[in-house]
Amino acid sequence: MILWNDRIVKREEVQIDIEDRGYQFGDGVYEVIRVYHGKPFQLDEHLERLERSLNEIRLALPYPMEDFKHLLQQLLDKDPVTDGIIYLQVTRGNALRSHAFPSEAKSVVTAYTREMPRPTKSLAEGIGAHLTNDIRWLRCDIKSLNLLGNVLAKQEALDNDCGEALFHRGDIVTEGSSSNVFIKKDGAWLTHPANHLILNGITRRFVMRLMADLEMPVKEEAFKIADLLNADEVIITSTTQEVMPVVSIDGEPVGNGEVGEWTRSLQNAFERHIS
Ligand code: PDD
């Protein structure tokens, strides 16, 4: 089933126009929300970020956010998942192709649920990461449908037998192609400040609260490639990757190449919150 504007319909019934601006320009925003044991995780936080992304690109939902929240809950009731995701997007709608905002177009909302098991094997063993140049635009804080820079980076990572690409702008490490990154160095976690160069991840914020609970110092401070390569522990965080250990970078081990102690404590704390 698909939530299509204000109706929940079969996939075959959805009609997306060839001139939908999401399709032609990537003119829209999206969210990916985790579902654990049938319940959405951090739903309000995701909807708040959606509201922010919408405002930043001067787009509005066709109804109040509260109604959207109810529609998403109805979608999940009609098409339940145990461990999965809700994907949703809002585009600027259908109009004759022309770059400037159309005067008459109505935003188009779509959402669906999908079963997606937790990445338990990688969570246990960790993944390899690959460094790549951050070629994206300068508004990475907006969860925009334009993901070409992210797509190219992720593919480059896979081509290098790695699970994630870590972006750098010059010397500074920003984030992953679909995740935020933290390093543990000199007894503290460091992560890039939440400015225009990264997406302020919902998991990033959640994990920072876990760090505080566990009395692990954490600083929102930019760090360099050399810091990443010399870190004791590295993790990436995202809705689907949770607290994912990075155990090697371009083939070089992080620390001793094993999942670190602080990472394990964070994963355990995360697990307690979702079970
Ligand atoms: N990606 N940075 C980027 C570039 C991302 O695409 C994501 C998430 C994150 C982490 O954000 P969050 O913790 O809110 O999931 C950071 C989603 C999961 C995706 O596009 O599939």
Side-chain angles (χ1 to χ4, degrees):
M1 305 298 286
I2 311 285
L3 170 63
W4 178 38
N5 298 323
D6 55 358
R7 294 161 55 204
I8 297 171
V9 297
K10 292 202 185 107
R11 192 170 181 147
E12 314 77 90
E13 290 171 48
V14 178
Q15 289 172 22
I16 300 292
D17 197 271
I18 193 79
E19 285 188 302
D20 186 291
R21 292 178 62 93
Y23 181 55
Q24 287 194 324
F25 294 107
D27 187 356
V29 292
Y30 78 105
E31 283 291 329
V32 183
I33 302 164
R34 200 67 168 102
V35 178
Y36 291 118
H37 313 295
K39 292 199 191 71
F41 182 64
Q42 302 273 293
L43 176 61
D44 288 339
E45 288 79 359
H46 281 281
L47 294 184
E48 270 165 36
R49 184 172 65 187
L50 176 69
E51 182 107 65
R52 180 181 183 279
S53 293
L54 286 166
N55 288 336
E56 291 298 322
I57 69 162
R58 295 157 65 190
L59 186 59
L61 280 174
Y63 33 65
M65 190 57 85
E66 244 344 86
D67 296 2
F68 187 37
K69 189 174 168 182
H70 289 136
L71 286 165
L72 289 174
Q73 194 55 59
Q74 280 173 31
L75 173 71
L76 193 55
D77 291 342
K78 286 203 175 165
D79 214 351
V81 286
T82 313
D83 283 328
I85 56 154
I86 303 172
Y87 175 83
L88 64 92
Q89 67 171 48
V90 187
T91 76
R92 209 179 302 276
N94 314 332
L96 214 61
R97 187 180 182 281
S98 169
H99 286 61
F101 295 173
S103 47
E104 77 295 356
K106 263 184 59 194
S107 51
V108 171
V109 179
T110 45
Y112 55 83
T113 62
R114 171 162 299 164
E115 206 65 63
M116 189 186 282
R118 299 179 54 212
T120 41
K121 189 167 183 285
S122 313
L123 286 172
E125 295 171 2
I127 59 165
H130 165 68
L131 269 167
T132 193
N133 200 11
D134 198 343
I135 60 163
R136 300 173 303 161
W137 71 331
L138 296 173
R139 290 305 307 272
C140 299
D141 55 310
I142 300 171
K143 205 158 169 60
S144 148
L145 292 176
N146 285 278
L147 288 174
L148 202 44
N150 309 62
V151 166
L152 291 175
K154 181 76 90 183
Q155 188 55 45
E156 192 181 301
L158 297 192
D159 292 344
N160 283 277
D161 296 321
C162 291
E164 177 59 307
L166 299 180
F167 284 124
H168 62 91
R169 276 191 202 266
D171 236 9
I172 299 293
V173 179
T174 51
E175 63 176 339
S177 74
S178 62
S179 60
N180 294 113
V181 58
F182 291 77
I183 64 169
K184 184 200 157 206
K185 203 170 175 289
D186 302 328
W189 291 105
L190 293 181
T191 194
H192 196 284
N195 60 14
H196 62 291
L197 298 181
I198 69 158
L199 182 75
N200 190 359
I202 304 300
T203 323
R204 172 186 183 275
R205 291 181 248 172
F206 185 76
V207 163
M208 283 171 70
R209 291 201 292 277
L210 294 183
M211 288 169 175
D213 291 347
L214 294 169
E215 296 179 358
M216 296 173 174
V218 52
K219 294 188 248 181
E220 293 182 81
E221 214 175 273
F223 57 87
K224 296 189 170 166
I225 294 176
D227 299 318
L228 173 75
L229 299 178
N230 290 311
D232 305 323
E233 300 184 31
V234 177
I235 55 170
I236 56 163
T237 64
S238 88
T239 295
T240 51
Q241 301 295 296
E242 304 182 357
V243 179
M244 182 61 76
V246 173
V247 292
S248 67
I249 294 164
D250 287 312
E252 292 299 316
V254 171
N256 60 7
E258 306 275 313
V259 177
E261 257 178 55
W262 282 25
T263 301
R264 281 285 179 241
S265 306
L266 276 174
Q267 287 184 318
N268 293 338
F270 192 90
E271 195 87 35
R272 283 197 293 277
H273 274 86
I274 61 168
S275 55

